[in-house]
Amino acid sequence: PALAARGHRVMTISPRYDQYKDAWDTSVAVEVKVGDSIEIVRFFHCYKRGVDRVFVDHPMFLEKVWGKTGSKIYGPKAGLDYLDNELRFSLLCQAALEAPKVLNLNSSNYFSGPYGEDVLFIANDWHTALIPCYLKSMYQSRGI
């Protein structure tokens, strides 16, 4: 919100772990390669405090809160990870890199349309650590 208040167009991207009451399905889906498979993710969106809040929708995220895990999203107990964490967060990172290009968001009076390719990514935690690697290996190598 602080960056948005200074006039920047801002998007946050998170896994969709729950049904956020204000988020709507954008009907935009992209394919990402995760391990040996191609997965389809969808994007949900809401606009709050000047920020496009985007949620990456895929069963790998929702099953962590609706399934047998008892709302434990990183591992069954502290210090122990789920075996699919690498796949889940690879999926999140790839979806995050596609979102600014594919989402046509018109929430603000000042900004509309896709963000495009001229964006700054901030990888906030270990879950997003692959973003700089993917930017260099998958995008920069293709001139994007």
Side-chain angles (χ1 to χ4, degrees):
L3 289 172
R6 295 180 63 104
H8 298 282
R9 190 172 188 193
V10 180
M11 176 190 295
T12 61
I13 302 175
S14 302
R16 184 170 171 252
Y17 285 123
D18 204 348
Q19 298 285 358
Y20 301 101
K21 69 176 183 170
D22 297 333
W24 53 273
D25 187 346
T26 64
S27 299
V28 175
V30 296
E31 294 180 348
V32 295
K33 187 172 186 328
V34 180
D36 293 328
S37 67
I38 301 293
E39 299 291 332
I40 296 173
V41 298
R42 294 177 66 91
F43 297 102
F44 280 65
H45 172 259
C46 67
Y47 186 75
K48 288 186 179 178
R49 299 178 60 200
V51 176
D52 285 307
R53 298 175 190 233
V54 174
F55 301 95
V56 177
D57 182 54
H58 188 275
M60 281 197 281
F61 297 124
L62 286 176
E63 71 187 7
K64 293 302 181 213
V65 292
W66 290 353
K68 302 174 187 173
T69 63
S71 298
K72 295 179 178 10
I73 55 180
Y74 305 121
K77 63 181 184 176
L80 187 60
D81 292 336
Y82 289 122
L83 297 178
D84 69 348
N85 277 357
E86 293 86 0
L87 296 176
R88 286 190 303 134
F89 296 116
S90 171
L91 182 137
L92 172 66
C93 291
Q94 291 180 68
L97 290 167
E98 289 297 312
K101 295 186 335 180
V102 301
L103 292 176
N104 188 12
L105 303 174
N106 297 305
S107 306
S108 166
N109 293 332
Y110 306 105
F111 302 109
S112 65
Y115 280 60
E117 294 178 15
D118 188 17
V119 297
L120 170 71
F121 287 92
I122 299 173
N124 187 48
D125 206 343
W126 67 268
H127 315 95
T128 56
L130 288 172
I131 286 177
C133 301
Y134 288 155
L135 277 171
K136 185 173 184 178
S137 65
M138 296 166 57
Y139 289 84
Q140 188 181 40
S141 65
R142 295 188 339 240
I144 301 172

